[in-house]
Amino acid sequence: MSEMKKFMFVNRKAPYGTIYALESLEVVLITAAFDQDVSLAFLDDGVYQLKKGQQTKGIETKNFSPAYRALEGYDIEKLYVEKESLEARGIVEEDLLVDVTVLTRAEMGALMDEQDVVLSF
């Protein structure tokens, strides 16, 4: 029998222009498929990954933001957003696609300390 570990995926990059956001989402889904305790954190430009109204037609890239709404179906319900990152970008919680828990930088750091594995994208 395997032991459940606490995985946190830290998203720091904007959703488009690099592969980091999409790769993170894929790894999150794979990890959840193995019945691990998965949480996601969004910091810095990573908060843009959850912003409503993403338009990707102009950059000819598939808009994968609706996938965040499906995370709950994979029992991924722990989404945390850093308060300071939101404020620095003029984003409020109501601008986000999904329900999140907003944490201060200090609270986010404490939460990361509780994890068994932290992967940054």
Side-chain angles (χ1 to χ4, degrees), residues 44-112:
D44 304 325
D45 285 344
V47 298
Y48 289 121
Q49 294 180 30
L50 297 179
K51 191 156 183 323
K52 291 178 185 170
Q54 296 179 27
Q55 300 294 323
T56 60
K57 195 172 188 177
I59 58 173
E60 298 182 12
T61 300
K62 183 178 180 180
N63 180 353
F64 61 87
S65 65
Y68 291 106
R69 290 191 197 113
L71 292 177
E72 192 173 341
Y74 294 88
D75 294 328
I76 302 169
E77 299 172 348
K78 299 176 188 173
L79 280 69
Y80 304 97
V81 176
E82 185 189 66
K83 179 181 177 194
E84 290 84 350
S85 295
L86 286 176
E87 291 174 350
R89 287 152 185 86
I91 299 172
V92 295
E93 193 173 341
E94 291 75 26
D95 295 332
L96 303 178
L97 291 162
V98 290
D99 292 335
V100 298
T101 301
V102 178
L103 301 175
T104 65
R105 186 166 292 151
E107 292 169 330
M108 188 73 79
L111 183 61
M112 287 182 188

